Amino acid sequence: MTIQILRSQINDYQTYTLADEEMTLLKALIKIKATQDATLTFTAGCRASVCGTCAVRVNGREVLSCAHKVRDGDMIEPLNYHPVLRDLKVDKQPAQKTLLNATAWLHRYQEAVLTHKDERFTERQTDCILCDACYSACPVFAVNPDFLGPFALTRAYRYSADKQESEVKSIVERVQHNGVWECTLCSGCTLVCPKGIDPKMDITMLRSLVVQHGYEDRTFAQMGFGTPDFGSEFGFDSNGEF
Amino acid sequence: MTDVLIIGSGGAGLSAALAVKEQGASVIIASKSTPTTAQTSMAQGGMNAVLGNVEEDHISMHIADTIKSAHGICDENMVRKMCADGPLAIAWLERLGVPFSRLDNGKSGTGSIAQRKLGGASAKRACYAQDYTGLKILHTLYDNCLKEGIEFLDDHFLLNLVTEDGTIKGATFLDIRSGEVVQIDAKSVVIATGGFGALYHGYTTNAFGTTGDGIAAVLRAGGSVSDMEFVQFHPTGLKHSAILVSEAARGEGGYLVNSDGERFVDELSPRDVVARAIFAQLEQEKEVFLDVRHLGKEKLMELLPQEVALCRLHEQIDPLEALIPIKPVAHYTMGGIDVDDALEVNGIKGCFAVGECASAKIHGANRLGGNSLLEIVAFGRFAGSNATKHAMFARTTPANDTQLLKDKDYIAHIFTQEHSVNFYPIRQRLGVLLYHKVGIVRQNAKLQEALSEVIAMQVAHARMGIVDHAKAHNQNLVEFLEFSNALLLTPTLISAAFSRDESRGAHFKIEFASEDNERFKKHIVLKWKP
């Protein structure tokens, strides 16, 4: 089989030929580097979908190299909206800065009674491996590089929903600017998450939390009343709730 | 000049950094990758701490289990300290927000943390977060590092420690992004670079980069290593991909069966016993499988969702309906940098080592499941705190640039070095060699063969070099440096195994099948002579 990989130096696709056997894309990349082209650059770690290092785009869709079975004709590219450092290796620092901007951590601990149900409530959100697949799939970054983005908002939501957090308000304040209201609810993030996390739902939950805290519901502002069809194009039913 | 330089951004490094910060000192974390990609993310089963949330438990029982698993060669004071620190470490993590699995007992704080029993434990002691315990601890630590404004230097590959008169002054790194060699001056250093399981390339659960870079740097700086012969093999790696199936699969009641459908070992015995029993079956040309079908779909998806997904992806089987083919694989290296009871590297003042890279004499001949996460958190904090104390009194004059210039020359030399031999296949060959000759079952004759082959590889090393001559982001160069570290460490592993003419814990030698306390109830400590 042959696959094509976008090389940064030539800014073009390079074709590589592989044996026709079942293997993960990561295994294929390692083989290429070891036997065909030592200059091919990519990042990888655990091989078991948990270290978050090896996300790339295959045929336009974000995947973990270690969890994608490579197929004839696959086009491999680096993640979107990340500065490309070399070939498939991208700079994750700007994206990771969203965690800082969202203050996605436990602000102030309070002791609480927790149950198995509480654990399950944000179990999925804490499965996040920071692979940046969702960030790459988020169209908002095309127009707003300061957007907090899916993984930071999911993480902010996870802490806001923690009964041990006594300062939920601090999180609520941070996620409003370039945050929950800028999201178009397109589901791009949810579709590509290798851990089955649903950032779109988390953002929706954060929106209601924000409103509960007495802040303006900017859903409507975002929908742009008076500009017909704008809402529906972004996954909204503009007549639905109204 | 920073107070404390931490090398490595896994659980041990981040715990150490937070401890430094708590005490008001300045700290930098340098690592060859980015934070949260560390091996810690792969720890699944749990973290031991005597809470007694599920059943009666005592710290004395945890100590006794650890010593039993270590087969006597551990420092009881260190074991006592670590076990006593367990509940404190969990309480600390709880306050940071680690999302532990919970019981429905109506209790608050750590009182509701669920605990399960892992192999070799006398009680349900391992606190867990589904089967993502390490991942969730690591990410919560990272969130807290961001909260505390801790500085991270990504893409910094450790080259050498900088020392003056036996005292640490900092370290040199290859900045992978620019290709420059840089020196970071520091009053204290904490090495938290992980183990060397990747020497068993293709036969290990470890990531490729687990090449013992920090251990090799200590050897080059004149420090020593100990307990290198003790490599823990995890009984249940997936047959084709060597990916780990958590011990929790057996802890929750999974069976091991051979191709005749027979169970052949008590699944909850210590890892070394189970690994050898499986290896013996494989030697008899029988296949070995893990059977979890009887646990039922609901329990499997709740307790082992990750395993189910990995089996489907890498082995093309569904564990709900089929047997999982397995082989034992290198999983954890008990030995490493020889440290004293303050975790200070013997021979280098102000330099501390913690986590899998260190030989803190707690795991001895075999690590108890659930003690590695405990070690990185409890001792990570201990190392950070000790490094801070050292920094308070350390001299602030930075080192001269002797080491820096030497390392610049070395990197420049690699670019001009002949590369007629491709090191990637050799890396693979080293893995096969170690698995078969320095693996689960050892024999002096085979160890000697292995050593000669490794020496041949070291000789060929001069002709290996790199093909990629780009200055920035040269992963070929990084992997070459990693492999060079692996080649430096391998002889210490083989020599230690050769010297130990007995069987103890993870080290099993056919011709000396029992423990010989008179001659070998001790640590084998090695140094490197260039």
Side-chain angles (χ1 to χ4, degrees), chain A residues 9 22 24 26-27 30 33-35 38-53 66-69 85-86 89-93 96 99-100 104-109 111-120 122-124 126-130 155 158-159 162 164 195, chain B residues 33-38 41-42 94-109 112 130 132 135-136 139-140 142-144 146-147 152 154-155 176-177 204-208 241-243 302 306 310 312-314 316 422 424-425 427 467-468 470 472-476 479:
Chain A
Q9 211 156 2
E22 243 183 76
T24 61
L26 177 56
K27 206 170 170 188
I30 291 165
K33 192 167 181 76
T35 60
T39 67
L40 178 66
T41 303
F42 55 92
T43 51
C46 73
R47 325 188 295 283
S49 309
V50 79
C51 76
T53 319
C66 71
H68 171 78
K69 279 206 180 129
L85 296 176
R86 193 176 174 196
K89 182 183 177 186
V90 296
D91 188 354
K92 284 189 162 187
Q93 283 171 356
Q96 302 248 326
L99 292 170
L100 208 58
W105 48 70
L106 192 70
H107 286 243
R108 192 163 29 157
Y109 170 84
E111 193 164 310
V113 176
L114 293 177
T115 62
H116 185 54
K117 203 174 146 200
D118 294 320
E119 169 205 342
R120 295 303 299 268
T122 51
E123 180 191 324
R124 191 62 86 169
T126 57
D127 286 350
C128 175
I129 57 173
L130 292 179
R155 200 165 282 222
R158 158 257 193 280
Y159 282 111
D162 194 329
Q164 298 181 123
K195 307 310 274 186
Chain B
S33 181
T34 48
T36 73
T37 61
S41 66
M42 297 175 76
E94 170 90 349
R95 294 185 74 87
L96 297 186
V98 173
F100 286 112
S101 288
R102 300 286 165 173
L103 302 162
D104 284 321
N105 61 4
K107 291 192 179 163
S108 67
S112 66
Q130 305 89 42
Y132 283 123
L135 174 83
K136 294 188 181 185
H139 280 249
T140 310
Y142 177 55
D143 294 344
N144 279 277
L146 293 178
K147 182 182 177 182
F152 285 93
D154 298 345
D155 280 319
I176 302 167
R177 292 185 171 219
T204 176
T205 58
N206 290 191
F208 301 113
S241 54
I243 286 169
E302 153 112 34
Q306 213 185 151
L310 289 172
R312 286 173 178 162
L313 177 71
H314 293 279
Q316 288 91 41
N422 183 356
Y424 289 109
R427 178 174 81 170
V467 177
D468 186 358
H473 304 291
N474 189 332
Q475 200 59 27
N476 189 213
E479 283 158 11

Side-chain angles (χ1 to χ4, degrees), chain B residues 299-318:
Chain B
K299 203 167 175 189
L300 279 175
M301 293 313 290
E302 153 112 34
L303 297 167
L304 305 162
Q306 213 185 151
E307 272 63 27
V308 172
L310 289 172
C311 289
R312 286 173 178 162
L313 177 71
H314 293 279
E315 304 289 311
Q316 288 91 41
I317 62 118
D318 186 349

Side-chain angles (χ1 to χ4, degrees), chain B residues 144-469:
Chain B
N144 279 277
C145 287
L146 293 178
K147 182 182 177 182
E148 299 302 331
I150 288 170
E151 184 183 351
F152 285 93
L153 290 176
D154 298 345
D155 280 319
H156 275 56
F157 185 90
L158 171 66
L159 294 174
N160 281 298
L161 300 170
V162 179
T163 58
E164 244 174 45
D165 305 325
T167 302
I168 197 79
K169 300 300 276 181
T172 58
F173 296 85
L174 171 72
D175 176 350
I176 302 167
R177 292 185 171 219
S178 64
E180 297 291 341
V181 176
V182 297
Q183 176 169 322
I184 300 175
D185 300 320
K187 295 179 203 165
S188 305
V189 168
V190 176
I191 303 172
T193 48
F196 55 92
L199 268 54
Y200 293 84
H201 191 92
Y203 297 88
T204 176
T205 58
N206 290 191
F208 301 113
T210 318
T211 42
D213 305 325
I215 308 172
V218 164
L219 278 178
R220 287 192 295 266
S224 29
V225 293
S226 57
D227 292 350
M228 293 296 282
E229 68 275 34
F230 297 117
V231 177
Q232 182 174 79
F233 281 78
H234 198 289
T236 56
L238 290 179
K239 188 183 171 189
H240 301 102
S241 54
I243 286 169
L244 175 73
V245 178
S246 164
E247 186 170 283
R250 283 171 293 130
E252 298 291 349
Y255 301 141
L256 287 171
V257 294
N258 62 19
S259 26
D260 302 330
E262 295 161 345
R263 287 174 71 184
F264 53 88
V265 63
D266 172 7
E267 286 85 355
L268 291 179
S269 308
R271 285 179 178 166
D272 58 319
V273 177
V274 181
R276 269 199 303 282
I278 297 172
F279 195 70
Q281 295 287 321
L282 298 175
E283 293 276 276
Q284 293 167 37
E285 313 262 305
K286 285 182 183 167
E287 273 191 283
V288 178
F289 303 92
L290 181 64
D291 188 357
V292 293
R293 293 172 300 179
H294 57 284
L295 300 179
K297 185 176 174 185
E298 201 178 318
K299 203 167 175 189
L300 279 175
M301 293 313 290
E302 153 112 34
L303 297 167
L304 305 162
Q306 213 185 151
E307 272 63 27
V308 172
L310 289 172
C311 289
R312 286 173 178 162
L313 177 71
H314 293 279
E315 304 289 311
Q316 288 91 41
I317 62 118
D318 186 349
L320 304 179
E321 284 153 17
L323 296 170
I324 308 166
I326 52 127
K327 71 180 179 197
V329 284
H331 183 56
Y332 187 90
T333 48
M334 270 73 77
I337 302 164
D338 197 53
V339 294
D340 67 10
D341 54 8
L343 304 177
E344 194 169 22
V345 177
N346 283 326
I348 310 175
K349 272 200 209 82
C351 183
F352 300 80
V354 65
E356 196 174 344
C357 69
S359 172
K361 322 281 174 9
I362 41 178
H363 306 306
N366 199 9
R367 179 180 63 86
L368 190 68
N371 269 0
S372 54
L373 285 177
L374 171 58
E375 181 192 8
I376 60 172
V377 177
F379 280 4
R381 287 171 56 71
F382 186 47
S385 161
N386 292 346
T388 309
K389 282 176 199 147
H390 179 271
M392 282 166 68
F393 303 104
R395 293 186 58 189
T396 52
T397 42
N400 59 34
D401 55 5
T402 314
Q403 187 67 50
L404 179 69
L405 295 175
K406 224 161 118 181
D407 292 341
K408 280 187 176 191
D409 281 351
Y410 176 62
I411 296 296
H413 166 74
I414 295 174
F415 278 86
T416 59
Q417 193 171 318
E418 178 190 338
H419 53 81
S420 55
V421 179
N422 183 356
F423 71 89
Y424 289 109
I426 313 269
R427 178 174 81 170
Q428 214 161 344
R429 217 167 74 203
L430 180 67
V432 177
L433 177 74
L434 293 182
Y435 188 68
H436 290 289
K437 294 185 177 169
V438 199
I440 299 163
V441 174
R442 295 161 180 181
Q443 217 174 326
N444 277 342
K446 290 201 171 164
L447 290 170
Q448 260 172 331
E449 283 170 29
L451 190 61
S452 338
E453 282 193 55
V454 170
I455 289 169
M457 287 178 190
Q458 285 180 330
V459 172
H461 183 256
R463 285 178 288 122
M464 287 178 196
I466 52 175
V467 177
D468 186 358
H469 283 163

Side-chain angles (χ1 to χ4, degrees), chain A residues 3-16 29 32-33 36-42 76-78 84-89, chain B residues 468 470 473:
Chain A
I3 60 171
Q4 296 198 309
I5 301 176
L6 187 61
R7 303 297 307 270
S8 54
Q9 211 156 2
I10 52 171
N11 196 24
D12 201 354
Y13 296 89
Q14 190 162 341
T15 306
Y16 294 98
L29 294 175
I32 291 169
K33 192 167 181 76
Q36 298 181 32
D37 183 354
T39 67
L40 178 66
T41 303
F42 55 92
I76 325 290
E77 298 164 327
V84 174
L85 296 176
R86 193 176 174 196
D87 299 339
L88 302 175
K89 182 183 177 186
Chain B
D468 186 358
H473 304 291

